[in-house]
Amino acid sequence: MTTEAIATVKALWRYPLSSAGGERLETLQIASSGPVGDRMFGLFDDATGEIVFPAKQRHWNGVATISAKLIDDVLMISTDETSWHKPADPAAKTATKEIFGREVSAVKYGADLGNSPASPRYAHSPIHLLSTQALNALKRLLPDSVIDERRFRPNILADFGLEEIAGEPPEYQLLGKEFRIGDVTLRGTRPCGRCGFTTLKQIGLPEDRDVLRTLMSSFDQDFGIYCEVVEPGEIHISDRLARQSVDTAKAKIIIVGAGQAGAMAARSLRELGHTGPITIFGDERHMPYERPPLTKPRSGTAAQSKLDTILSGDQAEALDIKVGLCETVVSIDRSSGSVETASGAKHPYDRLIISTGGNPRHLPGLSRGYSHIHAIRTIDDARNLGFSLQTAKRIFVLGAGWLGLEIAAMARGSGIDVDVFDRETYPCSRVLPEDVGDFIAAVHVEHGVNFHLGSEPNFVECPDGVEATIDGNSKRADLLVSCIGIYANDHLARLAGLDCDNGILTDRNGATSDPKIFAIGDVSRQRDARHPQGLRLESWQNANEQAGRAARAIMGLEQAPVAAPSFWSDQYDLRIQIAGLPDPHAILKSVDGDAKPLWRFEDFIVGINRPKEVRQYSLKSESQQVETTPTAEPVAGTSGVAGTTETYATENRRITRLVLGGRDMLEDGEIRRVAIDSVGTLALVRQGENYYAIEDRCPHADASLSEGFIEEERIVCPVHFAEFDLVTGNTTNAPKGCPNAKTYHVEPEGDLLFLHVPSSGND
């Protein structure tokens, strides 16, 4: 570990009241939770208990014209920074009511509001750091604007000693790294994304929309960085900022999980030139091995499953990779940068990769201890099933997804009778459209599989097998294989405080909410512009690609374009391949071939023994996959009355025409929010004799677009000023990662307005 002084503290700020201006200090006390006294209070609506939320709700924007400070730990506020009052004083109540048009009160976070404790709108990393270089760069871009740090609410303003910056602001070099200021150690966590708050009028600062537009166009909307506290203490004006850095090529790497993704990450790191220690911890007794052959048929049953190692003992020794078999990691201590195994041993890391995969889901109460219920996740699971299949005459498979179908095909290849049960009406219904699922089902039926689809039987494990009862009819089998999916094994990450949601939330390179920790494989839920809620992909290709991307991120190397997702499954003599991200509700564009069909959908293709076409498609990057689909042309209909509907068809879908109301429901230039049962909440817009409808929720900031404003044929989000074309929904001047919005055709006819709503799939 080395240190290097790279900046000097120029200003320190504390903001006792959320969203209000703060106080400039000579010394800033830093606790483990952040600056002492910072953002202790919030303003709440006396009538509703709603927290003041500027920019997203315009009536709260005036909070930026209030300043706050602590005097002997008592909150004081001012609207002119001359006269200071307690928030409950009559003068303060009068001033805030004049600003907001309603009564508000300052409440300490955690205090009882009657039905819930007062809590902030969101929790960021506790400290915001901004450089004078970033401020000066913005001033040069906006010479006519008033730019100073108050507009951006930093806790620390640091001077990195540079006259100008050619690329990113210098504070970005602190992301993912620890650094010291005075006797405080901080860690840069992520860039600080900016919103419409930066444009608001403040004491001494006029309203200025050009600020956010310039941040979006020149700074990727980010300005400054967030930091978390590693070691508390005091920071003083003129303290030096010293960077503590780790040579990532020599960093200590620990990988939790000895599966496909974990082993490939270790190998990738070595291939990229990493020379530091790498340790893999795994629960199993086997060296890392390939998962797909667990169910891909060979020449018989799963009893013949053999170990296809990804990293053998000899290879691990040659690559200087330590593999701890049967060593379970039980906790992660992020503050010390270490993991603890079940033996009590602690192992420090500079970078941690979590690749713990997933665990099979089970029907509660299904197993009664007779060993006739199987689930497959490991090679030992597959071997146990294989031994049972050697004497089985009939088996039940619960779940008609990929795993269940592969096991059914494997069993039929050994002459075993198979019954497949699923509550859905066709196989693979969670990922594939019905046409494809029906084709796959027909293949299995030809091979003698009995399907019980749309059913929820009652299973009972007995001493001599398993009994299934459907609608009063019973059937017996020698065993049941449960194939109803997996859940992400994110228990360790949740205990460590990482952001999780049925998987560890990461970016496309596996980076988690902790810059020292990465998550890859089945346990990772990747977020990006197209999937802001996250997407968890369970596939061999995804495990390998994420391993490589995480390794490159750790090494600080440039990433290749994201490959198109791909999946495959061998069933009988068929190889089913998918390129692109499948969607069961996708619109079919074309299909060719009978015995070996190829289905083309909007964003993916499915081929049966069509490797050449699938390969060509999979070579495209994800951003190149979307193909155009013919859209509906407006069709004139008869006039009706409010509430009536009619339907017409286009080449690919059916369109429902709803009566919105009279043409005079909107004034020229008006935006109105309307709720429609079959569609959701829309923002309706009138410009002259043109009418538009767009989803009301901004897909980036979750703000109401009807709270925004109109510029030409664009509606502007009130939070980040993202602009959405009212006809296409396409974004311009938008924050990075902002998706397009969904629009609907509005047709004026006579005295009425009609909304055209496409169906979600083929009818």
Side-chain angles (χ1 to χ4, degrees):
M1 187 80 69
T2 60
T3 60
E4 174 191 5
I6 57 173
T8 303
V9 175
K10 304 301 289 185
L12 296 169
W13 289 86
R14 177 174 67 182
Y15 308 93
L17 182 65
S18 291
S19 300
E23 54 184 331
R24 192 164 180 164
L25 303 174
E26 292 296 316
T27 300
L28 194 60
Q29 297 282 343
I30 305 295
S32 58
S33 58
V36 175
D38 194 59
R39 296 174 175 87
M40 290 178 61
F41 297 84
L43 283 177
F44 290 82
D45 189 321
D46 287 352
T48 66
E50 176 188 17
I51 190 171
V52 169
F53 197 158
K56 187 172 182 180
Q57 293 162 299
R58 285 178 291 179
H59 56 269
W60 295 131
N61 286 357
V63 69
T65 64
I66 299 172
S67 287
K69 65 181 179 181
L70 294 176
I71 300 178
D72 296 329
D73 293 330
V74 176
L75 178 66
M76 307 292 285
I77 65 172
S78 174
T79 57
D80 58 11
E81 295 189 341
T82 300
S83 302
W84 294 87
H85 304 276
K86 296 178 182 178
D89 288 349
K93 295 290 284 187
T94 299
T96 53
K97 184 174 182 180
E98 184 176 332
I99 291 171
F100 301 121
R102 62 199 74 197
E103 299 276 356
V104 298
S105 296
V107 181
K108 192 171 185 178
Y109 292 130
D112 187 10
L113 284 178
N115 55 0
S116 64
S119 58
R121 298 191 312 274
Y122 44 76
H124 283 311
S125 296
I127 294 177
H128 172 213
L129 184 147
L130 181 66
S131 70
T132 58
Q133 283 67 34
L135 275 177
N136 291 336
L138 185 59
K139 288 177 182 178
R140 284 191 288 272
L141 293 169
L142 294 171
D144 297 327
S145 296
V146 181
I147 304 295
D148 71 21
E149 71 261 31
R150 292 174 298 163
R151 196 177 284 279
F152 307 102
R153 302 288 197 263
N155 296 111
I156 302 169
L157 183 67
D159 181 1
F160 285 75
L162 304 172
E163 290 296 325
E164 293 189 15
I165 53 175
E168 293 181 333
E171 58 265 40
Y172 281 31
Q173 65 185 287
L174 303 174
L175 292 173
K177 298 180 174 64
E178 293 184 2
F179 57 95
R180 289 189 67 82
I181 310 178
D183 58 359
V184 174
T185 302
L186 303 177
R187 181 187 296 117
T189 56
R190 62 185 183 276
C192 181
R194 294 302 177 173
C195 66
F197 184 86
T198 59
T199 71
L200 299 180
K201 178 182 178 182
Q202 303 182 35
I203 298 176
L205 299 172
E207 181 180 11
D208 191 342
R209 291 180 181 174
D210 287 338
V211 173
L212 184 58
R213 297 190 192 282
T214 304
L215 290 180
M216 288 193 291
S217 62
S218 300
F219 293 87
D220 253 353
Q221 194 197 332
D222 297 323
F223 205 59
I225 64 170
Y226 286 117
C227 308
E228 61 186 8
V229 180
V230 177
E231 184 178 343
E234 286 186 352
I235 300 176
H236 306 273
I237 296 291
S238 300
D239 276 349
R240 297 286 283 164
L241 186 155
R243 179 176 57 192
Q244 298 176 270
S245 61
V246 173
D247 183 350
T248 53
K250 299 178 181 178
K252 295 178 184 176
I253 307 291
I254 287 182
I255 300 173
V256 182
Q260 178 97 24
M264 291 304 297
R267 295 189 66 131
S268 297
L269 283 164
R270 287 293 188 242
E271 291 169 3
L272 294 170
H274 184 274
T275 58
I278 298 177
T279 303
I280 304 175
F281 290 111
D283 295 338
E284 296 184 57
R285 58 191 176 92
H286 307 289
M287 292 295 287
Y289 56 87
E290 293 269 10
R291 299 286 175 170
L294 296 181
T295 57
K296 308 297 183 193
R298 296 172 181 273
S299 58
T301 69
Q304 297 167 327
S305 293
K306 68 182 183 69
L307 217 57
D308 290 340
T309 55
I310 310 167
L311 184 68
S312 67
D314 290 342
Q315 290 170 331
E317 184 177 358
L319 293 171
D320 193 20
I321 297 171
K322 181 181 177 182
V323 182
L325 300 178
C326 297
E327 285 197 67
T328 302
V329 173
V330 295
S331 67
I332 300 168
D333 186 342
R334 293 167 57 195
S335 61
S336 66
S338 65
V339 301
E340 182 177 350
T341 58
S343 66
K346 294 187 176 181
H347 305 268
Y349 64 80
D350 295 316
R351 297 293 182 268
L352 176 67
I353 300 175
I354 303 175
S355 57
T356 45
N359 294 320
R361 297 184 183 276
H362 297 279
L363 286 181
L366 182 58
S367 176
R368 296 190 176 183
Y370 295 116
S371 302
H372 302 311
I373 307 297
H374 294 262
I376 293 185
R377 193 60 180 164
T378 69
I379 189 69
D380 291 332
D381 293 334
R383 287 171 174 170
N384 289 337
L385 173 61
F387 288 126
S388 297
L389 289 175
Q390 289 179 345
T391 57
K393 302 298 183 184
R394 176 182 295 276
I395 69 169
F396 292 155
V397 176
L398 177 59
W402 295 122
L403 179 62
L405 295 178
E406 289 174 359
I407 288 174
M410 179 181 62
R412 287 302 300 138
S414 299
I416 301 171
D417 291 334
V418 178
D419 290 84
V420 176
F421 301 85
D422 199 294
R423 66 173 61 181
E424 303 298 334
T425 56
Y426 66 91
C428 297
S429 61
R430 294 166 184 81
V431 292
L432 292 179
E434 190 169 1
D435 290 352
V436 184
D438 287 344
F439 178 91
I440 295 172
V443 171
H444 280 269
V445 170
E446 288 178 6
H447 284 81
V449 172
N450 301 306
F451 280 103
H452 307 273
L453 301 174
S455 66
E456 295 190 48
N458 179 51
F459 293 105
V460 177
E461 187 183 23
C462 308
D464 58 348
V466 180
E467 182 175 273
T469 303
I470 305 176
D471 298 329
N473 298 314
S474 296
K475 203 168 192 177
R476 281 285 185 116
D478 298 294
L479 59 89
L480 179 147
V481 188
S482 179
C483 306
I484 54 176
I486 67 170
Y487 61 90
N489 187 12
D490 59 5
H491 178 68
L492 270 178
R494 285 187 283 109
L495 288 179
L498 296 177
D499 293 344
C500 298
D501 181 10
N502 186 26
I504 305 171
L505 296 175
T506 72
D507 65 10
R508 295 309 297 266
N509 301 325
T512 70
S513 53
D514 185 323
K516 288 186 174 182
I517 301 178
F518 293 76
I520 57 177
D522 290 355
V523 76
S524 167
R525 180 174 291 277
Q526 307 166 53
R527 291 189 292 192
D528 58 19
R530 295 183 67 184
H531 311 102
Q533 302 304 315
L535 182 68
R536 200 162 62 80
L537 298 175
E538 301 168 13
S539 73
W540 179 89
Q541 180 246 14
N542 179 64
N544 286 347
E545 181 176 359
Q546 273 203 303
R549 296 186 74 84
R552 297 187 73 84
I554 288 172
M555 294 290 288
L557 301 175
E558 184 178 351
Q559 297 284 359
V562 177
S566 64
F567 311 83
W568 62 275
S569 176
D570 283 344
Q571 299 172 30
Y572 310 109
D573 58 347
L574 305 183
R575 169 155 288 192
I576 306 166
Q577 292 175 289
I578 305 171
L581 192 63
D583 176 3
H585 306 295
I587 297 171
L588 179 64
K589 297 182 64 178
S590 66
V591 59
D592 63 82
D594 295 324
K596 299 179 180 180
L598 181 75
W599 293 269
R600 294 184 180 274
F601 298 91
E602 287 183 287
D603 297 335
F604 67 99
I605 64 173
V606 183
I608 306 293
N609 293 345
R610 300 286 289 269
K612 182 177 179 180
E613 293 92 334
V614 175
R615 173 63 177 164
Q616 289 173 342
Y617 191 96
S618 66
L619 290 175
K620 300 178 182 180
S621 69
E622 188 176 47
S623 61
Q624 296 172 317
Q625 288 172 32
V626 179
E627 301 178 31
T628 58
T629 303
T631 56
E633 291 296 326
V635 176
T638 59
S639 61
V641 296
T644 62
T645 65
E646 59 184 46
T647 302
Y648 64 92
T650 68
E651 178 181 350
N652 289 314
R653 60 177 67 183
R654 297 172 69 84
I655 306 293
T656 300
R657 209 170 75 126
L658 305 173
V659 176
L660 285 172
R663 293 178 69 149
D664 58 356
M665 67 184 291
L666 293 176
E667 299 289 338
D668 188 13
E670 182 183 356
I671 310 173
R672 178 177 297 185
R673 181 189 304 169
V674 296
I676 300 173
D677 289 342
S678 60
V679 179
T681 305
L682 302 179
L684 291 183
V685 179
R686 178 179 177 181
Q687 284 191 302
E689 295 306 310
N690 296 318
Y691 296 83
Y692 307 92
I694 188 168
E695 62 177 315
D696 185 55
R697 185 186 66 84
C698 172
H700 173 260
D702 201 31
S704 170
L705 292 181
S706 57
E707 291 275 332
F709 52 92
I710 301 298
E711 287 190 353
E712 298 178 350
E713 288 193 351
R714 302 184 303 278
I715 190 168
V716 183
C717 172
V719 177
H720 297 114
F721 293 169
E723 300 176 10
F724 299 90
D725 188 289
L726 288 167
V727 177
T728 65
N730 293 340
T731 58
T732 55
N733 294 323
K736 60 181 180 181
C738 179
N740 296 332
K742 188 173 184 179
T743 59
Y744 298 84
H745 176 64
V746 179
E747 176 193 9
E749 181 180 313
D751 294 330
L752 297 176
L753 294 178
F754 291 84
L755 182 74
H756 293 242
V757 182
S759 65
S760 59
N762 291 333
D763 289 329

